[in-house]
Short mmCIF file of all heavy atoms in Angstrom, two decimals:
data_model
loop_
_atom_site.label_atom_id
_atom_site.label_comp_id
_atom_site.label_asym_id
_atom_site.label_seq_id
_atom_site.Cartn_x
_atom_site.Cartn_y
_atom_site.Cartn_z
N MET A 920 108.17 121.98 100.95
CA MET A 920 109.10 120.87 101.06
C MET A 920 108.37 119.62 101.51
O MET A 920 108.72 118.55 101.09
CB MET A 920 110.12 121.25 102.07
CG MET A 920 111.29 120.29 102.15
SD MET A 920 112.28 120.48 100.62
CE MET A 920 113.86 120.08 101.21
N GLU A 921 107.35 119.72 102.33
CA GLU A 921 106.64 118.55 102.86
C GLU A 921 105.53 118.10 101.91
O GLU A 921 104.92 117.06 102.19
CB GLU A 921 106.09 118.83 104.25
CG GLU A 921 107.16 119.05 105.29
CD GLU A 921 106.59 119.39 106.62
OE1 GLU A 921 105.37 119.42 106.72
OE2 GLU A 921 107.37 119.62 107.54
N SER A 922 105.28 118.84 100.87
CA SER A 922 104.14 118.50 100.01
C SER A 922 104.46 117.28 99.12
O SER A 922 103.57 116.52 98.75
CB SER A 922 103.69 119.64 99.12
OG SER A 922 104.74 120.02 98.27
N GLY A 923 105.76 117.07 98.83
CA GLY A 923 106.15 115.94 97.98
C GLY A 923 105.80 114.58 98.59
O GLY A 923 105.09 113.75 97.90
N PRO A 924 106.16 114.32 99.83
CA PRO A 924 105.74 113.03 100.43
C PRO A 924 104.27 112.88 100.63
O PRO A 924 103.70 111.81 100.49
CB PRO A 924 106.48 113.05 101.76
CG PRO A 924 107.64 113.94 101.59
CD PRO A 924 107.17 114.99 100.63
N ALA A 925 103.56 114.04 100.87
CA ALA A 925 102.11 113.94 101.05
C ALA A 925 101.44 113.62 99.71
O ALA A 925 100.46 112.85 99.72
CB ALA A 925 101.55 115.28 101.60
N ILE A 926 101.94 114.16 98.64
CA ILE A 926 101.36 113.87 97.33
C ILE A 926 101.63 112.41 96.97
O ILE A 926 100.69 111.71 96.48
CB ILE A 926 101.95 114.80 96.27
CG1 ILE A 926 101.45 116.21 96.45
CG2 ILE A 926 101.57 114.30 94.85
CD1 ILE A 926 102.15 117.27 95.64
N PHE A 927 102.82 111.93 97.24
CA PHE A 927 103.16 110.53 96.92
C PHE A 927 102.31 109.54 97.76
O PHE A 927 101.71 108.62 97.25
CB PHE A 927 104.64 110.25 97.17
CG PHE A 927 105.03 108.79 96.94
CD1 PHE A 927 105.15 108.32 95.70
CD2 PHE A 927 105.17 107.96 98.07
CE1 PHE A 927 105.50 106.94 95.49
CE2 PHE A 927 105.48 106.60 97.89
CZ PHE A 927 105.64 106.11 96.61
N ALA A 928 102.22 109.85 99.06
CA ALA A 928 101.40 108.94 99.90
C ALA A 928 99.97 109.00 99.59
O ALA A 928 99.27 107.98 99.52
CB ALA A 928 101.62 109.34 101.41
N GLY A 929 99.44 110.20 99.31
CA GLY A 929 98.05 110.31 98.96
C GLY A 929 97.72 109.58 97.66
O GLY A 929 96.68 108.93 97.56
N THR A 930 98.60 109.70 96.72
CA THR A 930 98.40 108.96 95.45
C THR A 930 98.42 107.47 95.61
O THR A 930 97.58 106.73 95.09
CB THR A 930 99.46 109.40 94.38
OG1 THR A 930 99.37 110.82 94.24
CG2 THR A 930 99.23 108.74 93.06
N ALA A 931 99.41 107.03 96.38
CA ALA A 931 99.55 105.60 96.60
C ALA A 931 98.35 105.00 97.35
O ALA A 931 97.76 103.98 96.98
CB ALA A 931 100.83 105.30 97.40
N PHE A 932 97.90 105.70 98.44
CA PHE A 932 96.77 105.24 99.16
C PHE A 932 95.48 105.26 98.33
O PHE A 932 94.74 104.35 98.37
CB PHE A 932 96.55 106.08 100.45
CG PHE A 932 97.47 105.73 101.59
CD1 PHE A 932 98.11 106.74 102.31
CD2 PHE A 932 97.68 104.45 101.93
CE1 PHE A 932 98.95 106.48 103.33
CE2 PHE A 932 98.57 104.11 103.00
CZ PHE A 932 99.15 105.18 103.68
N ALA A 933 95.24 106.36 97.62
CA ALA A 933 94.03 106.53 96.82
C ALA A 933 93.98 105.42 95.69
O ALA A 933 92.94 104.86 95.45
CB ALA A 933 93.94 107.93 96.26
N LEU A 934 95.10 105.26 95.04
CA LEU A 934 95.11 104.28 93.93
C LEU A 934 94.90 102.85 94.50
O LEU A 934 94.10 102.05 93.87
CB LEU A 934 96.41 104.31 93.13
CG LEU A 934 96.56 105.51 92.19
CD1 LEU A 934 97.96 105.50 91.60
CD2 LEU A 934 95.52 105.45 91.13
N PHE A 935 95.55 102.55 95.56
CA PHE A 935 95.36 101.18 96.09
C PHE A 935 93.96 100.99 96.63
O PHE A 935 93.31 99.91 96.36
CB PHE A 935 96.39 100.94 97.26
CG PHE A 935 96.30 99.56 97.84
CD1 PHE A 935 96.71 98.45 97.14
CD2 PHE A 935 95.67 99.35 99.06
CE1 PHE A 935 96.57 97.13 97.64
CE2 PHE A 935 95.56 98.08 99.59
CZ PHE A 935 96.03 96.98 98.89
N GLY A 936 93.41 101.93 97.30
CA GLY A 936 92.03 101.84 97.81
C GLY A 936 91.04 101.69 96.70
O GLY A 936 90.09 100.85 96.73
N ALA A 937 91.12 102.52 95.67
CA ALA A 937 90.18 102.49 94.54
C ALA A 937 90.35 101.16 93.82
O ALA A 937 89.33 100.55 93.39
CB ALA A 937 90.46 103.66 93.61
N ALA A 938 91.56 100.68 93.63
CA ALA A 938 91.77 99.43 92.90
C ALA A 938 91.24 98.25 93.70
O ALA A 938 90.64 97.33 93.12
CB ALA A 938 93.29 99.23 92.64
N LEU A 939 91.40 98.29 95.02
CA LEU A 939 90.87 97.23 95.87
C LEU A 939 89.34 97.14 95.81
O LEU A 939 88.72 96.10 95.72
CB LEU A 939 91.36 97.36 97.30
CG LEU A 939 91.02 96.27 98.23
CD1 LEU A 939 91.62 94.91 97.79
CD2 LEU A 939 91.56 96.56 99.66
N LEU A 940 88.73 98.34 95.84
CA LEU A 940 87.26 98.39 95.79
C LEU A 940 86.76 97.95 94.40
O LEU A 940 85.80 97.20 94.31
CB LEU A 940 86.78 99.84 96.07
CG LEU A 940 86.88 100.27 97.53
CD1 LEU A 940 86.53 101.74 97.67
CD2 LEU A 940 85.97 99.46 98.43
N LEU A 941 87.45 98.38 93.33
CA LEU A 941 87.06 97.98 92.01
C LEU A 941 87.25 96.46 91.84
O LEU A 941 86.36 95.77 91.32
CB LEU A 941 87.89 98.72 90.96
CG LEU A 941 87.61 98.37 89.49
CD1 LEU A 941 86.22 98.86 89.13
CD2 LEU A 941 88.70 98.99 88.60
N TRP A 942 88.35 95.93 92.28
CA TRP A 942 88.63 94.48 92.13
C TRP A 942 87.58 93.71 92.91
O TRP A 942 87.06 92.66 92.42
CB TRP A 942 90.01 94.17 92.67
CG TRP A 942 90.38 92.76 92.60
CD1 TRP A 942 90.82 92.06 91.48
CD2 TRP A 942 90.31 91.81 93.69
NE1 TRP A 942 91.05 90.72 91.86
CE2 TRP A 942 90.78 90.53 93.17
CE3 TRP A 942 89.98 91.92 95.02
CZ2 TRP A 942 90.84 89.42 93.97
CZ3 TRP A 942 90.05 90.75 95.80
CH2 TRP A 942 90.48 89.53 95.28
N THR A 943 87.22 94.11 94.13
CA THR A 943 86.22 93.40 94.94
C THR A 943 84.91 93.48 94.23
O THR A 943 84.15 92.45 94.20
CB THR A 943 86.11 94.01 96.32
OG1 THR A 943 87.40 94.00 96.92
CG2 THR A 943 85.14 93.33 97.18
N GLY A 944 84.53 94.61 93.73
CA GLY A 944 83.25 94.71 93.01
C GLY A 944 83.14 93.83 91.80
O GLY A 944 82.10 93.21 91.55
N VAL A 945 84.20 93.75 91.07
CA VAL A 945 84.21 92.89 89.85
C VAL A 945 84.08 91.39 90.26
O VAL A 945 83.34 90.64 89.65
CB VAL A 945 85.47 93.14 89.00
CG1 VAL A 945 85.61 92.09 87.92
CG2 VAL A 945 85.37 94.51 88.40
N ARG A 946 84.86 91.00 91.29
CA ARG A 946 84.79 89.61 91.77
C ARG A 946 83.41 89.24 92.27
O ARG A 946 82.93 88.18 91.97
CB ARG A 946 85.82 89.38 92.89
CG ARG A 946 87.26 89.59 92.46
CD ARG A 946 87.76 88.55 91.52
NE ARG A 946 87.93 87.28 92.20
CZ ARG A 946 88.54 86.26 91.62
NH1 ARG A 946 89.04 86.36 90.43
NH2 ARG A 946 88.69 85.10 92.27
N VAL A 947 82.79 90.16 93.00
CA VAL A 947 81.45 89.91 93.53
C VAL A 947 80.42 89.85 92.39
O VAL A 947 79.52 89.03 92.37
CB VAL A 947 81.04 91.00 94.57
CG1 VAL A 947 79.57 90.90 94.99
CG2 VAL A 947 81.89 90.80 95.79
N ALA A 948 80.53 90.78 91.43
CA ALA A 948 79.58 90.80 90.28
C ALA A 948 79.65 89.51 89.48
O ALA A 948 78.63 89.08 88.93
CB ALA A 948 79.91 91.99 89.42
N HIS A 949 80.84 88.94 89.34
CA HIS A 949 81.01 87.65 88.57
C HIS A 949 80.78 86.45 89.45
O HIS A 949 81.00 85.30 88.96
CB HIS A 949 82.34 87.65 87.90
CG HIS A 949 82.48 88.61 86.79
ND1 HIS A 949 83.54 89.48 86.68
CD2 HIS A 949 81.73 88.80 85.69
CE1 HIS A 949 83.39 90.22 85.59
NE2 HIS A 949 82.30 89.83 84.96
N ARG A 950 80.43 86.65 90.69
CA ARG A 950 80.22 85.55 91.67
C ARG A 950 81.44 84.68 91.79
O ARG A 950 81.32 83.44 91.86
CB ARG A 950 78.99 84.75 91.30
CG ARG A 950 77.70 85.55 91.32
CD ARG A 950 76.51 84.68 91.20
NE ARG A 950 75.28 85.48 91.15
CZ ARG A 950 74.58 85.90 92.19
NH1 ARG A 950 74.98 85.64 93.39
NH2 ARG A 950 73.46 86.58 92.00
N GLU A 951 82.61 85.26 91.82
CA GLU A 951 83.86 84.55 92.01
C GLU A 951 84.34 84.80 93.47
O GLU A 951 83.98 85.81 94.08
CB GLU A 951 84.89 85.02 91.02
CG GLU A 951 84.52 84.73 89.54
CD GLU A 951 85.53 85.32 88.63
OE1 GLU A 951 86.53 85.97 89.01
OE2 GLU A 951 85.31 85.13 87.40
N PRO A 952 85.17 83.89 93.97
CA PRO A 952 85.64 84.10 95.36
C PRO A 952 86.55 85.34 95.49
O PRO A 952 87.37 85.60 94.58
CB PRO A 952 86.39 82.84 95.67
CG PRO A 952 86.71 82.24 94.40
CD PRO A 952 85.67 82.64 93.42
N VAL A 953 86.36 86.08 96.55
CA VAL A 953 87.18 87.26 96.77
C VAL A 953 88.57 86.84 97.38
O VAL A 953 89.60 87.34 97.00
CB VAL A 953 86.46 88.24 97.64
CG1 VAL A 953 87.33 89.43 98.05
CG2 VAL A 953 85.18 88.71 97.00
N ALA A 954 88.51 85.88 98.29
CA ALA A 954 89.69 85.33 98.93
C ALA A 954 89.50 83.83 99.12
O ALA A 954 88.43 83.42 99.60
CB ALA A 954 89.95 85.99 100.25
N HIS A 955 90.46 83.03 98.77
CA HIS A 955 90.33 81.57 98.88
C HIS A 955 90.46 81.14 100.31
O HIS A 955 91.33 81.65 101.05
CB HIS A 955 91.43 80.89 98.01
CG HIS A 955 91.23 81.14 96.54
ND1 HIS A 955 90.25 80.57 95.83
CD2 HIS A 955 91.88 81.93 95.70
CE1 HIS A 955 90.35 80.94 94.59
NE2 HIS A 955 91.34 81.79 94.48
N GLY A 956 89.60 80.28 100.75
CA GLY A 956 89.63 79.78 102.04
C GLY A 956 89.01 80.59 103.14
O GLY A 956 89.15 80.35 104.33
N VAL A 957 88.33 81.69 102.71
CA VAL A 957 87.64 82.55 103.68
C VAL A 957 86.19 82.64 103.30
O VAL A 957 85.82 82.57 102.16
CB VAL A 957 88.28 84.02 103.59
CG1 VAL A 957 87.63 84.97 104.56
CG2 VAL A 957 89.81 83.93 103.79
N ALA A 958 85.36 82.77 104.32
CA ALA A 958 83.92 82.87 104.07
C ALA A 958 83.64 84.11 103.19
O ALA A 958 84.29 85.12 103.33
CB ALA A 958 83.17 83.04 105.40
N THR A 959 82.72 83.91 102.27
CA THR A 959 82.43 84.97 101.28
C THR A 959 82.04 86.27 101.97
O THR A 959 82.54 87.35 101.53
CB THR A 959 81.33 84.53 100.32
OG1 THR A 959 81.73 83.29 99.73
CG2 THR A 959 81.08 85.50 99.20
N GLY A 960 81.15 86.22 102.89
CA GLY A 960 80.68 87.49 103.56
C GLY A 960 81.81 88.19 104.23
O GLY A 960 81.90 89.45 104.15
N ALA A 961 82.64 87.40 104.92
CA ALA A 961 83.80 88.06 105.64
C ALA A 961 84.78 88.69 104.70
O ALA A 961 85.28 89.74 104.93
CB ALA A 961 84.44 87.02 106.53
N ALA A 962 85.07 87.96 103.52
CA ALA A 962 86.02 88.48 102.63
C ALA A 962 85.49 89.79 101.95
O ALA A 962 86.28 90.72 101.80
CB ALA A 962 86.29 87.40 101.55
N ILE A 963 84.25 89.74 101.59
CA ILE A 963 83.66 90.97 100.95
C ILE A 963 83.68 92.14 101.97
O ILE A 963 84.07 93.25 101.62
CB ILE A 963 82.25 90.68 100.46
CG1 ILE A 963 82.29 89.72 99.27
CG2 ILE A 963 81.57 91.98 100.07
CD1 ILE A 963 80.93 89.17 98.89
N THR A 964 83.31 91.88 103.20
CA THR A 964 83.24 92.93 104.22
C THR A 964 84.61 93.50 104.51
O THR A 964 84.79 94.72 104.52
CB THR A 964 82.66 92.38 105.51
OG1 THR A 964 81.32 91.81 105.26
CG2 THR A 964 82.54 93.46 106.58
N LEU A 965 85.60 92.62 104.67
CA LEU A 965 86.96 93.10 104.98
C LEU A 965 87.59 93.85 103.84
O LEU A 965 88.23 94.91 104.06
CB LEU A 965 87.86 91.94 105.47
CG LEU A 965 87.53 91.42 106.88
CD1 LEU A 965 88.37 90.17 107.15
CD2 LEU A 965 87.82 92.53 107.90
N THR A 966 87.49 93.31 102.62
CA THR A 966 88.14 93.99 101.51
C THR A 966 87.45 95.31 101.20
O THR A 966 88.13 96.28 100.86
CB THR A 966 88.12 93.12 100.24
OG1 THR A 966 86.78 92.70 99.92
CG2 THR A 966 89.03 91.91 100.40
N THR A 967 86.17 95.38 101.35
CA THR A 967 85.45 96.65 101.16
C THR A 967 85.86 97.67 102.25
O THR A 967 86.07 98.83 101.97
CB THR A 967 83.95 96.45 101.15
OG1 THR A 967 83.60 95.49 100.14
CG2 THR A 967 83.19 97.73 100.91
N ALA A 968 85.92 97.23 103.46
CA ALA A 968 86.31 98.12 104.57
C ALA A 968 87.78 98.61 104.40
O ALA A 968 88.05 99.83 104.50
CB ALA A 968 86.20 97.42 105.88
N PHE A 969 88.70 97.71 104.07
CA PHE A 969 90.06 98.20 103.89
C PHE A 969 90.26 99.06 102.64
O PHE A 969 91.00 100.01 102.64
CB PHE A 969 91.03 96.96 103.80
CG PHE A 969 91.40 96.44 105.13
CD1 PHE A 969 90.88 95.27 105.62
CD2 PHE A 969 92.27 97.16 105.97
CE1 PHE A 969 91.21 94.77 106.88
CE2 PHE A 969 92.62 96.70 107.21
CZ PHE A 969 92.08 95.49 107.65
N GLY A 970 89.47 98.78 101.59
CA GLY A 970 89.51 99.63 100.40
C GLY A 970 89.04 101.03 100.70
O GLY A 970 89.64 102.05 100.31
N ALA A 971 87.97 101.12 101.48
CA ALA A 971 87.44 102.43 101.85
C ALA A 971 88.41 103.15 102.79
O ALA A 971 88.62 104.39 102.65
CB ALA A 971 86.09 102.27 102.53
N VAL A 972 89.05 102.44 103.70
CA VAL A 972 90.03 103.07 104.60
C VAL A 972 91.15 103.64 103.83
O VAL A 972 91.63 104.77 104.08
CB VAL A 972 90.51 102.08 105.68
CG1 VAL A 972 91.69 102.56 106.43
CG2 VAL A 972 89.35 101.82 106.69
N PHE A 973 91.72 102.87 102.91
CA PHE A 973 92.88 103.36 102.12
C PHE A 973 92.47 104.50 101.24
O PHE A 973 93.21 105.47 101.06
CB PHE A 973 93.45 102.21 101.28
CG PHE A 973 94.39 101.33 102.01
CD1 PHE A 973 94.03 100.03 102.32
CD2 PHE A 973 95.59 101.80 102.49
CE1 PHE A 973 94.87 99.21 103.01
CE2 PHE A 973 96.47 100.99 103.18
CZ PHE A 973 96.12 99.70 103.47
N LEU A 974 91.26 104.49 100.68
CA LEU A 974 90.79 105.61 99.89
C LEU A 974 90.63 106.86 100.75
O LEU A 974 91.07 107.96 100.30
CB LEU A 974 89.48 105.27 99.20
CG LEU A 974 88.99 106.18 98.06
CD1 LEU A 974 90.02 106.24 96.99
CD2 LEU A 974 87.67 105.64 97.52
N LEU A 975 90.09 106.70 101.90
CA LEU A 975 89.97 107.84 102.83
C LEU A 975 91.29 108.36 103.28
O LEU A 975 91.52 109.58 103.44
CB LEU A 975 89.08 107.46 104.00
CG LEU A 975 87.63 107.31 103.73
CD1 LEU A 975 86.88 106.79 104.95
CD2 LEU A 975 87.02 108.61 103.27
N LEU A 976 92.30 107.44 103.49
CA LEU A 976 93.64 107.93 103.86
C LEU A 976 94.24 108.75 102.73
O LEU A 976 94.92 109.80 102.99
CB LEU A 976 94.52 106.76 104.16
CG LEU A 976 94.47 106.22 105.57
CD1 LEU A 976 95.29 104.92 105.68
CD2 LEU A 976 95.01 107.23 106.58
N GLY A 977 94.03 108.36 101.50
CA GLY A 977 94.49 109.17 100.36
C GLY A 977 93.89 110.51 100.32
O GLY A 977 94.58 111.53 100.14
N VAL A 978 92.58 110.58 100.53
CA VAL A 978 91.88 111.87 100.53
C VAL A 978 92.40 112.71 101.71
O VAL A 978 92.61 113.95 101.55
CB VAL A 978 90.39 111.67 100.60
CG1 VAL A 978 89.63 112.97 100.86
CG2 VAL A 978 89.86 111.00 99.35
N TRP A 979 92.64 112.11 102.86
CA TRP A 979 93.15 112.85 104.03
C TRP A 979 94.54 113.43 103.72
O TRP A 979 94.81 114.54 104.08
CB TRP A 979 93.18 111.94 105.23
CG TRP A 979 93.71 112.57 106.44
CD1 TRP A 979 93.09 113.46 107.23
CD2 TRP A 979 95.01 112.44 106.98
NE1 TRP A 979 93.89 113.87 108.28
CE2 TRP A 979 95.10 113.26 108.18
CE3 TRP A 979 96.13 111.72 106.64
CZ2 TRP A 979 96.23 113.35 108.93
CZ3 TRP A 979 97.28 111.79 107.40
CH2 TRP A 979 97.31 112.60 108.54
N CYS A 980 95.39 112.64 103.07
CA CYS A 980 96.73 113.12 102.68
C CYS A 980 96.66 114.30 101.76
O CYS A 980 97.41 115.26 101.91
CB CYS A 980 97.54 111.99 102.05
SG CYS A 980 98.15 110.75 103.22
N PHE A 981 95.75 114.22 100.78
CA PHE A 981 95.61 115.33 99.84
C PHE A 981 95.00 116.61 100.55
O PHE A 981 95.32 117.70 100.21
CB PHE A 981 94.74 115.00 98.68
CG PHE A 981 95.44 114.08 97.68
CD1 PHE A 981 94.83 112.92 97.27
CD2 PHE A 981 96.69 114.46 97.20
CE1 PHE A 981 95.47 112.10 96.36
CE2 PHE A 981 97.31 113.61 96.28
CZ PHE A 981 96.71 112.44 95.86
N GLY A 982 94.21 116.35 101.60
CA GLY A 982 93.64 117.45 102.35
C GLY A 982 94.68 118.17 103.21
O GLY A 982 94.49 119.35 103.64
N ARG A 983 95.73 117.53 103.51
CA ARG A 983 96.81 118.06 104.35
C ARG A 983 97.75 119.01 103.56
O ARG A 983 98.57 119.67 104.17
CB ARG A 983 97.71 117.00 104.97
CG ARG A 983 96.94 115.98 105.77
CD ARG A 983 96.70 116.38 107.20
NE ARG A 983 97.93 116.60 107.88
CZ ARG A 983 97.96 117.24 109.02
NH1 ARG A 983 96.92 117.57 109.62
NH2 ARG A 983 99.13 117.46 109.61
N LEU A 984 97.60 119.08 102.27
CA LEU A 984 98.42 119.94 101.43
C LEU A 984 98.04 121.39 101.70
O LEU A 984 97.97 122.27 101.68
CB LEU A 984 98.30 119.63 99.95
CG LEU A 984 98.76 118.26 99.55
CD1 LEU A 984 98.51 118.08 98.07
CD2 LEU A 984 100.25 118.14 99.82
#
């Protein structure tokens, strides 16, 4: 009964985290700004960290099944 919400949350977290990491990587590779009005180093660091955290949360949710 509890596996349904865990699967949904794990999928949402993993997809968002992977998409954020992919988007950040593409922006950095093309030397485009990651976030407007923010220092480049800080934006890259924060988006990479949050992408990794969301991806790890998704893996953790799948591990709870």
